[in-house]
Amino acid sequence: ATPGAGTFPGDTLIVDLAGTTGADVQVASFGAGRFTFTSSHLPIDYVSTETLDPLNGQVTLGNIPFGAADDTLGLSADSGDMIFSVDGNAALRLPLASITGPLVLDAAGGDDELIVDYTGGNPVPADGVVFNGQTQNTGTDGDSLSIVNGPMTEFSTQVLTYTDTTTGQGNNGNIQIDGGPVITYTGLEPINAG
């Protein structure tokens, strides 16, 4: 297991956003990060915390970076919460209704895969997900996006839009499942939306 990686529900940080105009959350590593506020409140740093529970307001998630290794990123839902994991380790749990703005995942190096799992419901925040594959270790498989376990094992509609392909940089575009929030991707090779 990854040092510092927790399991859910684990430790929970409850932040009351009453009296603020919102907050930004920067995830630094497994269970660690910082709340900064758009008003004049002091930031809150957290460590060894698996679940964030903002009350009375919404948060914007900053880009979540990863290292040069091959990573399997997971996005799923449970009881109205978005659950984000890296290589099977709990990284972040946050109520979907509390998230404003898109969830941005910067995969950096490696052959990375984002698996969006609909088993527990739609895990994509209302403003969507942006998955930036960036560089990869191999030219054939590279970075990938898989969308799995749709309602009754199939989705009614899948709209895939390819925006452009830059030679050697993978594919760019977006996908929308059953009229829900959009998943935007850059620098990917395979896409499995079945």
Side-chain angles (χ1 to χ4, degrees), residues 173-194:
N174 60 60
I175 183 169
Q176 185 176 34
I177 305 292
D178 290 340
V182 174
I183 300 169
T184 301
Y185 55 86
T186 64
L188 299 190
E189 285 66 45
I191 299 167
N192 174 11

Side-chain angles (χ1 to χ4, degrees), residues 1 6 39 50 78 81 90-91 95 104 135 143 147-148 157-158 162 168 178 193:
S39 51
E50 290 76 33
D78 179 49
D81 289 351
V104 180
T135 61
D143 301 310
I147 299 172
V148 299
T157 60
Q158 301 174 37
Y162 296 101
D178 290 340

